[in-house]
Amino acid sequence: MTRYLVTSALPYINGMKHLGNLVGSMLPADVYSRFLRLEGEEVIYICATDEHGTPAEIAALEEGLDVRTYCDIQHQRQKDVYMRFGLSFDYFGRSSSPQNHELTQHFFRMLDKNGFIEEREIQQIYCLDDERYLPDRYVIGTCPHCGYDMARGDQCENCATLLDPSELINPRSAVSSSQNLELRKSRHLFLKLDALASEVERWVKSHQDWPRLTKSIALKWLNEGLQPRCITRDLSWGVPVPKEGFEDKVFYVWFDAPIEYIGATKEWSDADPDACDWKSWWYDAKDVYHVQFMAKDNLPFHTIVWPATILGTREPWTMASYIKGFNWLTYYGGKFSTSQGRGVFMDQALQILPPDYWRYFLMTQAPESDDSDFTWELFSAVVNKDLAGTLGNFVNRTLKLAESQFGNTIPAGGIWGPQEDELLENCKNSMTDYRSALRKFEFRKAVLALKQLWSHGNVYIDARAPWNLVKTQRDEAALVVRTCINLVRTYALASSPIIPFTSEILFDSLGMDAQERKADLDQALDLNALKAGREFEVPPILFRKIEADEVTKLQEQFGGVSE
């Protein structure tokens, strides 16, 4: 049987992540992993904080901390907020771990042994005011390709073109904004991507089912021609380079970060060998289907550089089976920005509303084919219509009516009829669409199918009107109410990948035990699963509506501008 290995982009250690980071990799990876578990598949979801590189060093300096202490604090801070959002990592590791150091050095040694590493003397930018070499990311200037004036020295975020700092127009230090820069010579190690280009191209072209965004970025790089890529830096914080003459250097963060997917799994395995055999997932693992979730700025590294690294080792490491790429989530047409107070960051979001509001909304807006735009007007409209008006309304009216007319036990009586047959058929069709969309990584379509599934309950209860039936045909009313309570169970099970906290509230209200909560989506369609006589409770209102005056206040607080 196929085993599923799920990974999402490693969040950088420096600072709290915003909603765009969440929907661009971690949240869809979590939804997919939860869905697979619901389907009874064997799956592990691995992620970690990406902790090396200059940004961590500079952030630590600004905080007055040594870099290790800074990373310790930030790792725990990020891990806590991801848990509060319900991200169901099987293990959440750290790229600064001994396991990642060991594996990174192993990968390098194999690449070097196989002739895919070369030494070069290069000119690096040195900032006289900062008194330090500036790694690529800490040189900022105007992109020579698209004119974006905040391009980094390694890659332009706007057009995704790989850059060398020397190519930037009007370069300056990202540390101090100083333009007092000069080029100095230094010896570094390069990964010979050009020597691996034909193998990478064959590998990319063998994945015809990849989404258009992923394929287009990979092929763009290949068509432009791969060039050797520097994999070392003049820094102290990182994985030491195990080669004579390079003892004062560390590996470039983009070299060691992807290896941390393996490293994190080994961290988990080392801590609890009974929980995970890391090598069975990552080495000569022919039964593993590996899915990566990435925002588009990470796609070049995961479709080209990381595969080349694996291929160059000549060892059977697990490579991606499918890479789901995402575009940007923007905020009122612009970028999220901490310094400008624009947009919502994950810790702030949870101070405003519980996680399922955000999880559901973000999946309705998943930027799969194009960029999506967050506005408070749209957020409130989706919450009010879908969560409060469709799901929340159905659950509330069903359980309150049942309690008021039949007490806190599921009522007996009535005979299943054609209306119930029609309801079941409609639910089966929507469930088929839902499962198919998630299997195909089509998250917007999946949410639409789930919303349609919820709507069948409202259509059914409106048509059957048990509040009228109870006056003259009490047994018939009991049938309708019992069927609707079973629909609440169906919705709790089906919705759990997307709004897991709400599902747990519904499981609790229906008194479902641990085994009942593990029912798969075929079993979820049993509208007679909960029998007459079973006790239930009416939960608090699941979702509250967001009023217009609240939208205005949130726009003002988070820099939103109404169109």
Side-chain angles (χ1 to χ4, degrees):
M1 290 180 63
T2 301
R3 295 181 296 150
Y4 292 84
L5 171 61
V6 179
T7 59
S8 56
L10 304 186
Y12 195 69
I13 195 69
N14 188 7
M16 184 58 60
K17 304 305 127 184
H18 56 67
L19 295 182
N21 300 133
L22 179 61
V23 75
S25 62
M26 291 182 286
L27 181 56
D30 176 67
V31 170
Y32 182 68
S33 299
R34 286 177 175 274
F35 165 69
L36 291 176
R37 296 184 193 116
L38 192 58
E39 293 280 75
E41 305 285 8
E42 185 177 359
V43 55
I44 60 171
Y45 176 20
I46 300 295
C47 195
T49 38
D50 179 4
E51 301 188 6
H52 292 139
T54 307
E57 286 189 348
I58 292 174
L61 186 65
E62 291 172 349
E63 295 283 337
L65 299 169
D66 66 88
V67 67
R68 167 61 70 179
T69 301
Y70 172 81
C71 289
D72 289 345
I73 293 169
Q74 293 300 321
H75 171 81
Q76 193 58 51
R77 184 179 176 223
Q78 288 199 30
K79 184 177 179 180
D80 288 346
V81 81
Y82 300 149
M83 295 305 102
R84 289 165 59 204
F85 258 100
L87 299 181
S88 59
F89 307 121
D90 288 279
Y91 192 80
F92 187 70
R94 305 181 61 177
S95 69
S96 61
S97 69
Q99 290 86 347
N100 193 45
H101 279 229
E102 175 190 340
L103 283 161
T104 298
Q105 290 175 342
H106 169 79
F107 269 74
F108 167 75
R109 289 188 180 102
M110 296 306 297
L111 288 164
D112 198 19
K113 174 185 173 184
N114 295 329
F116 295 116
I117 300 294
E118 66 180 11
E119 297 183 27
R120 286 188 181 185
E121 185 174 77
I122 64 170
Q123 289 188 317
Q124 270 191 288
I125 291 183
Y126 185 89
C127 181
L128 298 171
D129 292 331
D130 298 341
E131 297 183 335
R132 62 175 296 156
Y133 283 104
L134 294 178
D136 300 351
R137 294 177 60 86
Y138 268 69
V139 184
I140 295 176
T142 299
C143 175
H145 301 278
C146 70
Y148 179 57
D149 64 0
M150 290 291 288
R152 298 193 313 258
D154 60 346
Q155 183 183 23
C156 175
E157 290 185 354
N158 189 56
C159 69
T161 301
L162 278 187
L163 297 170
D164 185 273
S166 62
E167 297 179 76
L168 292 174
I169 300 167
N170 298 323
R172 61 193 182 277
S173 166
V175 180
S176 62
S177 297
S178 169
Q179 292 183 302
N180 193 11
L181 312 178
E182 69 177 25
L183 290 173
R184 292 187 178 182
K185 291 181 179 179
S186 180
R187 290 197 67 77
H188 281 274
L189 298 172
F190 282 70
L191 173 62
K192 296 165 68 174
L193 287 178
D194 51 338
L196 290 158
S198 60
E199 295 176 55
V200 173
E201 184 170 10
R202 282 195 299 274
W203 178 76
V204 167
K205 289 183 176 178
S206 72
H207 295 86
Q208 294 298 317
D209 62 334
W210 281 3
R212 179 175 56 85
L213 177 65
T214 303
K215 284 190 295 187
S216 64
I217 288 178
L219 292 173
K220 176 177 181 287
W221 271 46
L222 288 165
N223 291 336
E224 290 175 352
L226 302 186
Q227 301 299 321
R229 186 78 176 160
C230 186
I231 61 168
T232 53
R233 291 293 186 270
D234 290 296
L235 297 171
S236 58
W237 175 244
V239 180
V241 178
K243 189 175 179 69
E244 186 177 352
F246 293 86
E247 294 85 356
D248 61 341
K249 302 184 194 303
V250 298
F251 286 111
Y252 178 33
V253 64
W254 261 112
F255 182 73
D256 79 81
I259 299 169
E260 168 57 10
Y261 294 115
I262 308 172
T265 315
K266 190 173 189 301
E267 291 171 50
W268 181 26
S269 184
D270 288 350
D272 186 359
D274 293 332
C276 173
D277 174 8
W278 72 275
K279 219 164 190 181
S280 76
W281 289 92
W282 283 107
Y283 197 84
D284 201 20
K286 295 181 175 60
D287 62 337
V288 168
Y289 187 83
H290 177 25
V291 185
Q292 299 178 2
F293 290 81
M294 295 288 147
K296 62 184 175 183
D297 59 329
N298 291 333
L299 287 174
F301 295 95
H302 285 265
T303 59
I304 303 295
V305 183
W306 174 221
T309 301
I310 294 175
L311 290 167
T313 67
R314 300 304 188 226
E315 294 180 324
W317 296 102
T318 299
M319 297 179 70
S321 308
Y322 192 90
I323 302 177
K324 175 67 175 180
F326 289 88
N327 288 282
W328 303 129
L329 177 73
T330 56
Y331 185 82
Y332 284 86
K335 289 189 174 185
F336 288 77
S337 171
T338 304
S339 60
Q340 297 176 21
R342 281 182 51 82
V344 187
F345 289 73
M346 290 177 65
D347 54 346
Q348 297 170 324
L350 293 177
Q351 293 171 8
I352 301 168
L353 287 167
D356 281 354
Y357 288 75
W358 303 104
R359 289 177 62 105
Y360 179 82
F361 172 76
L362 290 173
M363 294 317 297
T364 69
Q365 305 303 309
E368 295 174 292
S369 57
D370 295 292
D371 290 350
S372 298
D373 196 38
F374 180 98
T375 70
W376 289 107
E377 297 91 333
L378 180 60
F379 177 69
S380 63
V382 169
V383 167
N384 294 350
K385 182 179 178 182
D386 296 359
L387 295 177
T390 303
L391 176 62
N393 180 52
F394 175 77
V395 171
N396 186 257
R397 67 203 291 213
T398 291
L399 296 180
K400 279 198 169 181
L401 175 68
E403 181 186 50
S404 66
Q405 296 300 325
F406 299 99
N408 285 100
T409 59
I410 298 176
I415 299 173
W416 187 275
Q419 296 99 323
E420 287 70 41
D421 283 333
E422 182 181 5
L423 169 66
L424 180 58
E425 186 63 25
N426 289 336
C427 288
K428 284 182 178 178
N429 291 338
S430 293
M431 189 74 86
T432 297
D433 292 343
Y434 179 59
R435 296 167 85 171
S436 174
L438 286 174
R439 285 281 178 185
K440 295 176 181 177
F441 311 96
E442 296 173 336
F443 293 98
R444 282 196 177 204
K445 286 185 179 179
V447 177
L448 285 173
L450 181 63
K451 183 169 66 171
Q452 186 181 54
L453 182 66
W454 296 343
S455 71
H456 297 320
N458 284 297
V459 171
Y460 171 76
I461 199 172
D462 285 343
R464 297 287 269 144
W467 46 86
N468 292 329
L469 285 174
V470 75
K471 300 171 186 175
T472 56
Q473 302 177 62
R474 190 169 179 80
D475 278 359
E476 191 77 1
L479 166 69
V480 175
V481 167
R482 188 169 66 251
T483 302
C484 288
I485 292 175
N486 271 282
L487 269 180
V488 172
R489 168 188 171 273
T490 299
Y491 295 165
L493 289 165
S495 305
S496 61
I498 297 174
I499 48 173
F501 297 96
T502 304
S503 291
E504 289 298 320
I505 291 170
L506 297 179
F507 291 148
D508 290 343
S509 72
L510 298 176
M512 294 171 63
D513 61 30
Q515 191 59 40
E516 289 174 318
R517 298 178 192 213
K518 293 179 181 177
D520 62 30
L521 291 177
D522 286 323
Q523 296 164 334
L525 285 166
D526 182 358
L527 298 186
N528 291 295
L530 303 180
K531 304 300 183 184
R534 184 183 184 119
E535 294 184 353
F536 67 88
E537 296 179 355
V538 180
I541 297 296
L542 296 180
F543 299 98
R544 69 171 181 84
K545 289 193 172 183
I546 301 171
E547 304 299 334
D549 61 339
E550 188 175 0
V551 169
T552 301
K553 290 177 182 176
L554 290 166
Q555 288 174 340
E556 293 171 355
Q557 182 178 355
F558 294 100
V561 179
S562 182
E563 296 295 332

